[in-house]
């Protein structure tokens, strides 16, 4: 099974900061990776699919990159609404798997 | 618009079973696979399995093999996830999430979640 590892687990940042979250796969998953944002008490929300494709309606400050085993989610200028937990998910093969999450906190 | 509406919260005793439903609307039910994902309190997302609403075929995470059963009712556009032999570690919010396209794909729409509490 493919394992997904995110770093860091927690990130403290200020409004306006550029933020980068890393996700690593235990084996190559090509570009079959998605990113989600989750706020407390809510279901996850899709941000990015196919590693770098922005879901409709998602602000352009969010971007994704990478292929193979290493991927990044970047928020170019952190906004108050962006404080949340972010998860990556591989869908190269089943069983699918999520990273353990990265919580973005206010500094 | 696509909507996934899940059944309400459940409280179960250890050893019991729970069956959570997810009613889909706003799209052709049989054209999109459905995932089930759970989240224990304060923890991350855990993928449980996937069902093809068209033929009913399933694929489960090894961890849940033998305890989980995913089914569907095409007449009501509803998928079900039943988990048996419940233990305290199964206390979690259970989500259904629509597979966006082909068999291997991302989750584009999510249900609101169903809290299952396992307690004696």
């Amino acid at each position: 099974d493919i394992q997904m590892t995110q770093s860091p687990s927690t990130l403290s940042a200020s409004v306006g900061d550029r933020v980068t979250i890393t996700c690593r796969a235990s084996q190559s998953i090509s570009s079959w990776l998605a990113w989600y944002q989750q706020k407390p008490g809510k279901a996850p929300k899709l941000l990015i699919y196919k590693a770098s494709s922005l879901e409709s309606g998602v602000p352009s400050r969010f971007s994704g990159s990478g292929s193979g085993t290493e991927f990044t989610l970047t928020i170019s200028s952190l906004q108050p609404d962006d404080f949340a937990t972010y998860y990556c998910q591989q869908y190269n093969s089943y069983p699918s798997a999520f990273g353990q999450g990265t919580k973005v906190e206010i500094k | 618009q696509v909507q996934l509406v899940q059944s309400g919260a459940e409280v179960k005793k250890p050893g019991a079973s729970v069956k959570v439903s997810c009613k889909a609307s706003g799209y052709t039910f049989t054209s999109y696979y459905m995932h089930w994902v759970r989240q224990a309190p304060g923890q991350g997302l855990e993928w449980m399995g996937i069902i093809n609403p068209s033929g009913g075929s399933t694929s489960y995470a090894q961890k849940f093999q033998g305890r989980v059963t995913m089914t569907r009712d095409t007449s009501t556009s509803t998928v079900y996830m039943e988990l048996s032999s419940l233990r305290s570690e199964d206390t979690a919010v259970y989500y259904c999430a629509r597979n966006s396209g082909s068999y291997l794909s991302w989750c584009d729409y999510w249900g609101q979640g169903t809290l299952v509490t396992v307690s004696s």
Side-chain angles (χ1 to χ4, degrees):
Chain A
D1 297 356
I2 299 173
Q3 314 299 323
M4 306 302 292
T5 305
Q6 283 181 237
S7 60
S9 296
T10 307
L11 188 159
S12 296
S14 301
V15 172
D17 283 354
R18 181 181 181 87
V19 164
T20 298
I21 298 167
T22 298
C23 178
R24 289 186 173 87
S26 60
Q27 64 189 73
S28 178
I29 58 169
S30 186
S31 296
W32 307 125
L33 184 100
W35 288 98
Y36 303 89
Q37 177 193 67
Q38 187 180 34
K39 296 182 178 179
K42 300 294 186 182
K45 172 189 171 184
L46 176 67
L47 299 175
I48 302 280
Y49 59 93
K50 280 189 219 169
S52 61
S53 296
L54 192 68
E55 172 70 346
S56 176
V58 173
S60 58
R61 62 181 179 273
F62 291 92
S63 64
S65 65
S67 66
T69 61
E70 188 149 338
F71 303 86
T72 58
L73 173 70
T74 299
I75 309 172
S76 60
S77 177
L78 198 65
Q79 298 302 301
D81 191 48
D82 302 337
F83 291 97
T85 301
Y86 294 84
Y87 294 92
C88 60
Q89 179 205 14
Q90 74 82 15
Y91 52 92
N92 176 78
S93 61
Y94 290 129
S96 181
F98 292 89
Q100 79 277 20
T102 295
K103 185 176 182 179
V104 177
E105 297 181 329
I106 300 172
K107 192 172 186 179
Chain B
Q1 71 285 17
V2 174
Q3 279 195 304
L4 302 175
V5 179
Q6 298 184 222
S7 49
E10 303 261 14
V11 179
K12 296 291 182 182
K13 294 196 183 302
S17 297
V18 68
K19 192 170 186 177
V20 179
S21 68
C22 170
K23 184 174 176 59
S25 61
Y27 69 97
T28 302
F29 176 68
T30 51
S31 294
Y32 296 82
Y33 286 66
M34 194 77 79
H35 300 260
W36 285 93
V37 176
R38 77 176 186 179
Q39 186 170 40
Q43 302 301 308
L45 302 172
E46 182 174 30
W47 188 82
M48 300 182 68
I50 190 168
I51 181 168
N52 177 1
S54 178
S57 61
T58 56
S59 177
Y60 302 141
Q62 182 69 28
K63 175 177 179 176
F64 302 102
Q65 286 278 0
R67 282 209 304 144
V68 70
T69 304
M70 296 176 188
T71 57
R72 92 291 188 216
D73 182 343
T74 56
S75 69
T76 60
S77 298
T78 302
V79 295
Y80 300 91
M81 186 285 300
E82 184 170 21
L83 190 62
S84 62
S85 302
L86 290 169
R87 34 211 188 224
S88 59
E89 310 90 88
D90 294 317
T91 294
V93 175
Y94 290 76
Y95 294 101
C96 58
R98 193 184 78 160
N99 195 56
S100 69
S102 59
Y103 175 58
L104 287 164
S105 197
W106 58 94
C107 303
D108 58 357
Y109 291 92
W110 294 68
Q112 83 276 19
T114 296
L115 175 61
V116 175
T117 302
V118 182
S119 174
S120 55

